[in-house]
């Protein structure tokens, strides 16, 4: 059975027409979703599960503990995360500092 999953990554600039996008392989169909805030990530994760049928969510290393918990609490599928204590692409801070704009 082929896995359908979503990968959410944080970016400072909105994706516009460049996302989300499907990457399809023989074993996995991966929906790649750029997001600019944790709130948007939560909304997109729920949409990926409910509307796209994703059975797993993977989060980029920019998500801190609060952001990861927010996504895990919002969906009923496994949530994994690439882990950096601080992210080198974010100026060596956690995403909790930059993207938790409630």
């Amino acid at each position: 059975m082929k896995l359908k999953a979503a990968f959410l990554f944080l970016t400072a600039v909105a994706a516009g027409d460049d996302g989300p996008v499907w990457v399809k392989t023989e074993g996995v169909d991966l929906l790649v979703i750029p997001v600019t805030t944790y709130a948007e990530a939560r909304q997109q994760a729920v949409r990926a599960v409910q509307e796209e049928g994703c059975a797993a969510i993977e989060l980029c290393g920019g998500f801190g503990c609060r952001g990861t918990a927010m996504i895990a609490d919002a969906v009923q599928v496994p949530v994994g995360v690439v882990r950096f204590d601080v992210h080198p692409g974010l100026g060596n801070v956690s995403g909790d500092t930059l993207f938790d704009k409630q």
Side-chain angles (χ1 to χ4, degrees), residues 28-93:
V28 178
D29 287 349
L30 183 66
L31 183 58
V32 180
I33 306 171
V35 295
T36 58
T37 66
Y38 284 176
E40 181 184 8
R42 182 186 185 284
Q43 176 185 29
Q44 289 294 328
V46 168
R47 186 187 72 74
V49 172
Q50 293 180 352
E51 297 177 21
E52 300 290 349
C54 291
I57 303 288
E58 180 77 22
L59 304 174
C60 80
F63 280 85
C65 295
R66 288 191 312 264
T68 300
M70 182 185 296
I71 303 306
D73 287 344
V75 297
Q76 300 298 313
V77 300
V79 175
V81 63
V82 176
R83 181 55 61 211
F84 289 92
D85 288 333
V86 293
H87 194 287
L90 300 176
N92 291 319
V93 299

